[in-house]
Amino acid sequence: MSDLLSKAPQPTATRVEGFLGDRELQWGKHKKIKVGKVFRNFHCKPCDDQRTFESGDELYCLGLDKHAVSIDATLRCTACQSSVAAWFLIASKDEISGFAPEVRIERYTENLRDRAERIGKDPGQFADLIKRAQVAYDAELGAGATVYLRWILESITYHVANIAGIPTTGKNNGRVPFRDLLERVNEERRIIPQRFSSNGYKLFGELSEIIHGNSTEEEALKKFEPCLQLVLGIVEEVNRDNVFAKAIDELGWGSANIDEIAGDAS
């Protein structure tokens, strides 16, 4: 179980040793469990460096029903002892109190208490927007998270246009349609990864559909991760990573030869 929690939010189901003593944990009842320490890596603000944060030997478990529990953990920086909090919703198709249940993480959230920051590929000046998008997603605000992704896409397009001297206004000082601007910018300064270069504006349209309420929150949350990967790809100008082919496939954009696309870019 400790390995599963340490890898959150990985959704893959994993078989673990029984941790409830083969007895159902009733709704609303708490229980201390020993499943090994949880380890998470963060950028520790007091240390101003990447550090491993670890939990204690015991975690707190709250019963929800026969198939789900929540687990709370506090983790401390192994260097300066600054602490953060983490929460996991754990579920199982079978009874979770079994001898060796197959469990998955249905939801993971954390409160870093301004003591730490997530470690990732946040792209420089857009790091704050990525963080805000992730926070909104963790709070299950699909449309709200998507707003930040479209903001990043628009911002970097206009930013590159200004650097390249590409006009962003047309007649009567009106804005150039974003589709035209994106195509022009990409022609002169490739900002869209090769693997989905023909779908650059389609990504913008996908984000806009969600923001304008043409998708349910459930759909918006489902599309967040692949959209995030594609937006990060534009920001980072990364065009040799299979994650983009997978993201295109997850969005259902009709890419029939994902493996071939991935192979061409390797």
Side-chain angles (χ1 to χ4, degrees), residues 18-264:
F19 57 95
L20 293 176
D22 203 28
R23 295 183 60 184
E24 179 186 349
L25 184 58
Q26 297 290 329
W27 174 84
K29 298 295 184 181
H30 286 86
K31 179 184 179 70
K32 289 183 179 180
I33 57 174
K34 289 188 175 182
V35 294
K37 291 186 176 183
V38 177
F39 297 92
R40 306 282 297 175
N41 291 323
F42 297 112
H43 180 89
C44 179
K45 287 188 175 181
C47 294
D48 193 24
D49 201 356
Q50 179 176 329
R51 300 293 190 197
T52 296
F53 285 63
E54 67 175 11
S55 72
D57 294 322
E58 294 182 327
L59 306 179
Y60 288 87
C61 189
L62 174 67
L64 299 177
D65 56 41
K66 291 183 178 181
H67 303 281
V69 297
S70 73
I71 296 177
D72 295 318
T74 56
L75 300 90
R76 295 192 303 184
C77 172
T78 52
C80 73
Q81 305 299 299
S82 292
S83 64
V84 300
W87 174 77
F88 310 82
L89 177 59
I90 308 298
S92 173
K93 288 185 178 179
D94 301 318
E95 291 192 10
I96 201 166
S97 58
F99 176 74
E102 187 176 58
V103 300
R104 66 187 182 280
I105 298 174
E106 284 203 340
R107 189 174 177 197
Y108 165 71
T109 188
E110 57 201 19
N111 183 353
L112 301 183
R113 305 177 58 240
D114 201 31
R115 306 289 177 81
E117 295 177 328
R118 291 179 177 180
I119 298 169
K121 298 180 179 179
D122 290 347
Q125 62 183 309
F126 296 103
D128 185 56
L129 294 178
I130 293 295
K131 290 177 185 176
R132 293 185 189 186
Q134 192 66 55
V135 168
Y137 173 73
D138 290 343
E140 298 189 344
L141 301 174
T146 304
V147 167
Y148 291 110
L149 298 186
R150 194 178 77 166
W151 190 354
I152 293 170
L153 176 57
E154 290 179 312
S155 296
I156 196 166
T157 301
Y158 280 102
H159 184 67
V160 173
N162 290 330
I163 291 175
I166 299 172
T168 59
T169 58
K171 294 180 179 179
N172 301 319
N173 289 322
R175 276 198 170 191
V176 173
F178 187 75
R179 178 197 294 269
D180 298 339
L181 181 64
L182 182 60
E183 289 179 353
R184 175 78 184 280
V185 168
N186 196 50
E187 286 176 1
E188 295 197 19
R189 296 285 188 90
R190 182 174 296 281
I191 66 170
I192 301 174
Q194 180 66 36
R195 218 166 305 168
F196 72 106
S197 59
S198 62
N199 283 319
Y201 187 77
K202 192 167 186 177
L203 171 60
F204 180 78
E206 191 86 48
L207 300 175
S208 298
E209 285 287 305
I210 295 171
I211 292 170
H212 294 152
N214 295 324
S215 297
T216 65
E217 278 294 283
E218 183 179 357
E219 291 172 334
L221 290 169
K222 185 178 180 180
K223 290 181 176 181
F224 174 78
E225 289 290 350
C227 283
L228 172 63
Q229 294 300 332
L230 295 178
V231 169
L232 285 176
I234 291 174
V235 176
E236 298 175 358
E237 297 183 84
V238 174
N239 61 3
R240 290 185 176 87
D241 192 324
N242 290 345
V243 70
F244 294 109
K246 182 172 181 287
I248 292 170
D249 188 44
E250 288 179 1
L251 284 173
W253 286 358
S255 208
N257 300 306
I258 293 297
D259 292 337
E260 180 180 343
I261 294 172
D264 289 343

